[in-house]
């Protein structure tokens, strides 16, 4: 069956095409799409959507920027994000796969979601008349009639940075998930932590993170056991109605415990 492909020269044309073609799908690098829709609009060649701007405290990344272009930033990228990027597929795929495609993947949260949540990333959406900003932790999909126009990634350089993938090493499946943990200390106590999980659903808990602030360091094994109980209860609240295996649940708990054991 033949496909209808529409192209836009800039974001204005892209938004106009979306408004004039109800339900049309926006497609970037196509690296994750098994079958292209019958009609779609390509973001290929729209410079505004592939730019990367470095600032002192954050970077602005267009959704059309490839994973290879992000990795080319080297030490200017948060280490936890670099580590996650290197686990995705291979260099050939990273040359065409985009950060926007990774974030907006349907039905399952892909590799970059957890580290971007831990970094407190902000997403910007635009239509003809409005611009909206949303924390990635609240992201459920691009609003109707809008495009994802920018990804603002804080340049957090945490003392302790841990990223792990769960599931197949180079392939995303229903058993795939990512785990991210960032921690900073000050005067023998925990200053802040960020912990995130993303796969069949996303998990992060501001209440849990706040409860960890001020914990005396180094942690004792009793402290770690307490923390494991707390994070397990928080995770189970969210996972209760989700499709998640006992194995994946235990992997998350093990990774959370491992992360806090690095503070003993």
């Amino acid at each position: 069956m033949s496909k209808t492909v529409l192209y836009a020269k800039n974001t204005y044309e892209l938004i106009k095409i979306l408004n004039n073609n109800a339900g049309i799908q926006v497609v970037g690098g196509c690296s994750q799409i098994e079958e292209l829709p019958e009609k779609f609009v390509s973001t290929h060649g729209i410079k505004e959507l592939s730019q990367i701007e470095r600032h002192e405290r954050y970077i602005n990344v267009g959704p059309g920027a490839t994973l290879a272009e992000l990795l080319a930033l080297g030490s200017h990228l948060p280490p936890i994000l670099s580590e996650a990027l290197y686990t995705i597929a291979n260099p050939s795929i990273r040359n065409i796969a985009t950060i926007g495609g990774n974030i907006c993947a349907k039905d399952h949260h892909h590799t970059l979601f957890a580290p971007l949540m831990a970094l407190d990333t902000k997403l910007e959406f635009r239509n003809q008349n409005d611009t909206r900003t949303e924390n990635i932790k609240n992201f459920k999909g691009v609003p109707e009639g809008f495009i994802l126009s920018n990804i603002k990634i804080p340049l957090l350089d945490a003392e302790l940075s841990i990223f792990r993938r769960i599931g197949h090493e180079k392939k995303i499946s229903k058993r795939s998930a990512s785990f991210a943990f960032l921690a900073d200390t000050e005067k023998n106590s925990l200053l802040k932590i960020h912990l995130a999980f993303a796969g069949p659903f996303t998990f992060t808990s501001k209440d849990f993170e706040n409860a960890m602030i001020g914990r005396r360091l180094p942690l004792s094994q009793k402290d770690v056991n307490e923390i494991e109980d707390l994070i397990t209860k928080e995770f189970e609240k969210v996972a209760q109605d989700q499709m998640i295996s006992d194995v994946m649940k235990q992997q998350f708990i093990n990774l959370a415990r491992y992360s806090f054991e690095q503070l003993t």
Side-chain angles (χ1 to χ4, degrees), residues 119-130:
L119 290 166
D120 211 26
T121 299
K122 304 295 191 299
L123 305 179
E124 179 187 276
F125 307 99
R126 284 174 49 198
N127 67 8
Q128 286 179 317
N129 306 307
D130 192 17

Side-chain angles (χ1 to χ4, degrees), residues 169-261:
E169 185 179 356
K170 296 292 183 181
K171 182 181 178 182
I172 296 294
S173 71
K174 291 181 179 180
R175 297 180 181 178
S176 300
S178 54
F179 172 91
F181 182 89
L182 299 172
D184 280 308
T185 65
E186 184 179 66
K187 295 180 180 179
N188 297 322
S189 66
L190 262 176
L191 180 63
K192 60 183 175 182
I193 71 153
H194 295 284
L195 183 152
F197 168 91
F201 61 94
T202 63
F203 169 79
T204 187
S205 172
K206 195 66 178 174
D207 289 341
F208 172 79
E209 291 176 357
N210 288 339
M212 294 299 104
I213 296 173
R215 282 258 182 176
R216 300 300 297 170
L217 298 176
L219 297 174
S220 66
Q221 282 303 310
K222 181 182 177 182
D223 291 330
V224 173
N225 291 339
E226 263 182 34
I227 291 169
E228 180 182 341
D229 288 342
L230 283 173
I231 195 63
T232 300
K233 288 175 184 176
E234 289 295 312
F235 188 75
E236 286 179 339
K237 287 179 190 175
V238 178
Q240 187 174 10
D241 299 321
Q242 304 289 339
M243 297 294 290
I244 180 172
S245 67
D246 290 339
V247 171
M248 184 178 285
K249 174 186 168 183
Q250 191 59 52
Q251 285 175 309
F252 166 80
I253 295 168
N254 292 345
L255 286 170
R257 183 182 180 90
Y258 167 81
S259 299
F260 282 101
E261 283 178 338

Side-chain angles (χ1 to χ4, degrees), residues 12-239:
Y12 173 80
E13 284 191 7
L14 178 60
I15 292 169
K16 191 174 180 180
I17 289 171
L18 288 178
N19 288 339
N20 294 334
N21 296 267
I24 193 170
Q25 187 171 331
V26 178
V27 170
C30 302
S31 61
Q32 300 170 14
I33 300 177
E34 294 183 7
E35 184 177 350
L36 288 168
E38 292 183 19
K39 188 176 183 180
F40 63 92
V41 54
S42 173
T43 60
H44 182 72
I46 303 179
K47 292 183 179 179
E48 299 162 75
L49 296 183
S50 59
Q51 292 179 339
I52 300 175
E53 297 176 346
R54 283 169 41 199
H55 298 268
E56 185 178 352
R57 296 177 181 274
Y58 62 91
I59 54 174
N60 281 326
V61 182
T66 67
L67 307 186
E69 287 169 338
L70 276 174
L71 280 170
L73 293 175
S75 61
H76 297 290
L77 205 63
I80 197 167
L81 190 54
S82 294
E83 190 175 350
L85 285 161
Y86 275 118
T87 69
I88 298 175
N90 54 58
S92 297
I93 295 297
R94 293 196 293 266
N95 278 329
I96 59 172
T98 64
I99 183 171
N102 198 280
I103 291 170
C104 297
K106 293 183 177 181
D107 303 323
H108 199 89
H109 300 91
H110 285 212
T111 305
L112 299 183
F113 219 92
L116 290 173
M117 287 172 67
L119 290 166
D120 211 26
T121 299
K122 304 295 191 299
L123 305 179
E124 179 187 276
F125 307 99
R126 284 174 49 198
N127 67 8
Q128 286 179 317
N129 306 307
D130 192 17
T131 299
R132 300 180 186 176
T133 301
E134 182 178 89
N135 194 300
I136 193 170
K137 295 173 185 176
N138 303 318
F139 178 64
K140 303 299 181 186
V142 179
E144 186 71 28
F146 282 74
I147 62 167
L148 174 59
S149 55
N150 185 58
I151 301 150
K152 184 178 180 180
I153 306 172
L155 296 175
L156 301 183
D157 187 15
E159 293 174 47
L160 179 59
S161 173
I162 296 171
F163 170 81
R164 295 288 188 274
R165 275 187 63 159
I166 296 170
H168 194 283
E169 185 179 356
K170 296 292 183 181
K171 182 181 178 182
I172 296 294
S173 71
K174 291 181 179 180
R175 297 180 181 178
S176 300
S178 54
F179 172 91
F181 182 89
L182 299 172
D184 280 308
T185 65
E186 184 179 66
K187 295 180 180 179
N188 297 322
S189 66
L190 262 176
L191 180 63
K192 60 183 175 182
I193 71 153
H194 295 284
L195 183 152
F197 168 91
F201 61 94
T202 63
F203 169 79
T204 187
S205 172
K206 195 66 178 174
D207 289 341
F208 172 79
E209 291 176 357
N210 288 339
M212 294 299 104
I213 296 173
R215 282 258 182 176
R216 300 300 297 170
L217 298 176
L219 297 174
S220 66
Q221 282 303 310
K222 181 182 177 182
D223 291 330
V224 173
N225 291 339
E226 263 182 34
I227 291 169
E228 180 182 341
D229 288 342
L230 283 173
I231 195 63
T232 300
K233 288 175 184 176
E234 289 295 312
F235 188 75
E236 286 179 339
K237 287 179 190 175
V238 178

